[in-house]
């Protein structure tokens, strides 16, 4: 009813029982690989929602994809310790594969795939059987080359690129040969 209360004549010591971390609500942030060191961020709360700032030990920062253990230890208002895990998940790989369009030049041509360091590339001409050999072509035609990129810190990526080799235009220059009818087949020089 809006009244204030005053406790009169009370004396003594009031002790608050420390909160046991085993009963805490623990939220751990999730991370994606980005090539940089990332620090774990953990929120610890009592079941009633009171935020607690404990100390952390174990692996509290990492760069590579993986699952890491961190130990949450109580402070002066808490007791016990809890081990939990946090994870850096594979990132999204950014790569580029070029299509090639050229004119026949008696040289072999193959696609080029740009990818992050430590990426394993495999290639295929049928999209089924993959090898580490990047196929190359020199004859006139259009060829499809499939590729797969695998890296421990990224999600796998696959795709394809084409190589188009067009016919070379041949230009003939007729010689200055003068032909006189002689009753036999004759051919001008080129």
């Amino acid at each position: 009813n809006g009244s204030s209360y005053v406790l009169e004549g009370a004396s003594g010591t009031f002790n608050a029982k420390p909160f046991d971390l085993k009963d805490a609500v623990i939220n751990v942030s999730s991370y994606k690989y980005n090539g940089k060191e990332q620090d774990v961020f953990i929120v610890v709360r009592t079941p009633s929602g009171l935020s607690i700032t404990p100390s952390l030990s174990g692996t509290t920062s990492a760069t590579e994809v993986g699952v890491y253990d961190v130990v949450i230890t109580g402070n002066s208002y808490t007791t016990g310790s809890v081990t939990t895990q946090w994870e850096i998940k594979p990132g999204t790989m950014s790569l580029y594969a070029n299509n090639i369009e050229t004119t026949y030049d008696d040289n072999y041509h193959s696609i080029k795939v740009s990818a992050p360091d430590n990426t394993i590339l495999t290639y295929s001409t049928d999209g089924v059987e993959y090898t580490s050999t990047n196929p190359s072509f020199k004859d006139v035609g259009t060829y499809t080359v499939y590729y797969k990129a695998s890296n421990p810190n990224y999600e796998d990526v696959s795709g394809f690129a084409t190589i188009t080799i067009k016919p070379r235009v041949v230009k003939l220059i007729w010689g200055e040969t003068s032909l006189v009818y002689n009753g036999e087949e004759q051919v001008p020089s080129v």
Side-chain angles (χ1 to χ4, degrees), residues 174-179 186-190:
W174 295 101
E176 303 264 336
T177 306
S178 210
L179 301 175
Q186 299 178 56
V187 179
S189 63
V190 176

Side-chain angles (χ1 to χ4, degrees), residues 13-105:
T13 303
F14 296 95
N15 290 323
K17 182 179 176 189
F19 177 74
D20 191 338
L21 281 177
K22 292 176 188 148
D23 299 323
V25 176
I26 300 171
N27 294 316
V28 181
S29 294
S30 60
Y31 304 88
K32 256 193 149 172
Y33 177 80
N34 64 9
K36 299 176 184 169
E37 185 174 70
Q38 300 182 71
D39 296 322
V40 66
F41 181 73
I42 297 177
V43 176
V44 180
R45 297 186 189 282
T46 65
S48 64
L50 178 65
S51 183
I52 300 170
T53 307
S55 62
L56 304 176
S57 60
T59 306
T60 59
S61 64
T63 304
E64 303 298 319
V65 168
V67 177
Y68 302 96
D69 290 331
V70 64
V71 179
I72 302 167
T73 306
N75 56 27
S76 58
Y77 304 107
T78 59
T79 60
S81 64
V82 176
T83 299
T84 191
Q85 293 182 322
W86 66 286
E87 180 178 13
I88 297 177
K89 296 179 181 180
T92 302
M93 188 182 320
S94 176
L95 58 83
Y96 175 77
N98 65 324
N99 291 317
I100 296 175
E101 188 171 313
T102 188
T103 301
Y104 177 81
D105 61 2

Side-chain angles (χ1 to χ4, degrees), residues 98-112 123 125 133-145 161-166 168:
N98 65 324
N99 291 317
I100 296 175
E101 188 171 313
T102 188
T103 301
Y104 177 81
D105 61 2
D106 200 33
N107 291 312
Y108 284 92
H109 299 276
S110 57
I111 67 169
K112 292 176 182 54
Y123 306 90
T125 55
T133 302
N134 187 354
S136 57
F137 306 91
K138 77 172 189 172
D139 294 331
V140 171
T142 298
Y143 308 92
T144 301
V145 178
T162 58
I163 299 172
T164 302
I165 302 173
K166 297 186 273 185
R168 179 170 48 191

Side-chain angles (χ1 to χ4, degrees), residues 32 65 89-95 149-158:
K32 256 193 149 172
V65 168
K89 296 179 181 180
T92 302
M93 188 182 320
S94 176
L95 58 83
S150 178
N151 185 307
N153 288 312
Y154 295 98
E155 297 166 344
D156 289 350
V157 175
S158 61

